[in-house]
Amino acid sequence: MSMQTDTDRIRALNDELRQHLLGGGAVITTGIAELGAEAVKRLVKTIAVFDDFCQANDPHKEHDFGVFDFEGTHVAFKIDYYDKSLTFHSPNPADPSVTERIITIMRADEY
C-alpha cells in the first residue's frame, strides 16, 4: 500500500479541476471573456490537456499554474485554495472537505 503525500493529493485534485472542472469553481477575467464564447470553450479544452509543468512554473509540483500561447493571446491559469466560505485561505488544500478550489483563467497581462 502506497502512502499518498499531501502534494500528490493536491496535484490530483488540481488536475481534476483543470481537466474536468470538477471539485471547484472556475472564473474567467474580462480579457478572456472578450475572446468570445467559442474561443473560451477551446481555451478550456486547451487547459484540460496542458501538461507543460516543470520546475520553473511548478516548483511545488501541484499543477496549480500555467502560462501558454492561445491563438495569439498569452494566457495564464491559476488555482487557488479557499476555505468553504471563500473568505480565507484553505486550512488544508489536500483536504477537499475544507477546501474550495477556484481556477482563474486570465490573459497573462491581467495577472
Side-chain angles (χ1 to χ4, degrees), residues 9-26 79-84 86 90 92-103:
R9 182 100 181 101
I10 290 168
R11 182 173 52 247
L13 291 165
N14 287 347
D15 285 345
E16 188 74 358
L17 178 57
R18 185 176 51 78
Q19 294 168 350
H20 307 290
L21 295 181
L22 295 173
I79 297 175
D80 293 297
Y81 318 116
Y82 296 96
D83 67 1
K84 284 297 191 176
L86 297 175
S90 167
N92 179 2
D95 182 353
S97 73
V98 297
T99 303
E100 191 65 30
R101 288 182 148 62
I102 304 292
I103 185 168

Side-chain angles (χ1 to χ4, degrees), residues 60-111:
H60 303 292
K61 298 180 174 31
E62 294 179 353
H63 290 186
D64 61 346
F65 179 79
V67 179
F68 58 95
D69 187 66
F70 172 76
E71 299 177 4
T73 301
H74 215 56
V75 171
F77 67 86
K78 172 83 177 94
I79 297 175
D80 293 297
Y81 318 116
Y82 296 96
D83 67 1
K84 284 297 191 176
S85 70
L86 297 175
T87 307
F88 302 105
H89 288 289
S90 167
N92 179 2
D95 182 353
S97 73
V98 297
T99 303
E100 191 65 30
R101 288 182 148 62
I102 304 292
I103 185 168
T104 302
I105 305 168
M106 66 201 105
R107 285 194 333 237
D109 63 10
E110 294 178 303
Y111 183 65

